[in-house]
Every structure is written in C-alpha cells, then in structure tokens.
Amino acid sequence: MPNEPQRDPFVEGEGAAQKNIPAEGNPYQEGTEDYALWSAGHERVASAMEAEESEGT
C-alpha cells in the first residue's frame, strides 16, 4: 500500500537505544543499508546517554 508509513531504521535504532535495547538487537540483516542506519541511530543515542552518565547528570 502506498499510504503505509515508511519505516526509518535510523529512528528505530535511536528508539531502541532509549529503551536500553543492546546494539546486538538490530533486527536488520548485517551488511544492509538498513542495518547500518539502525546501528548509526543506536550509536548516536547510546553515546549521548553514556556521556550524560559520565558527567553525572
């Protein structure tokens, strides 16, 4: 269906990191663009969360 919302692997990866889902939980096939996008989104949020924890905020 053309009106179905498009999935955004980057945003999905960000959401997974916010829910403390480990990077190994990437649902996409390794080596695909979606896998890379999900990983990048996850890393962006996970890194920010780790930085906040190390600053004590």
Side-chain angles (χ1 to χ4, degrees):
M1 294 246 143
N3 291 334
E4 289 184 27
Q6 293 293 319
R7 293 171 51 159
D8 185 338
F10 187 86
V11 173
E12 290 177 0
E14 290 178 322
Q18 290 170 346
K19 295 175 186 173
N20 292 318
I21 296 172
E24 293 79 18
N26 189 330
Y28 295 100
Q29 182 176 353
E30 193 169 351
T32 64
E33 183 178 358
D34 287 345
Y35 183 93
L37 288 168
W38 191 98
S39 294
H42 189 279
E43 180 62 25
R44 179 179 172 271
V45 172
S47 295
M49 290 170 61
E50 288 175 10
E52 287 179 14
E53 287 176 8
S54 68
E55 292 174 1
T57 58

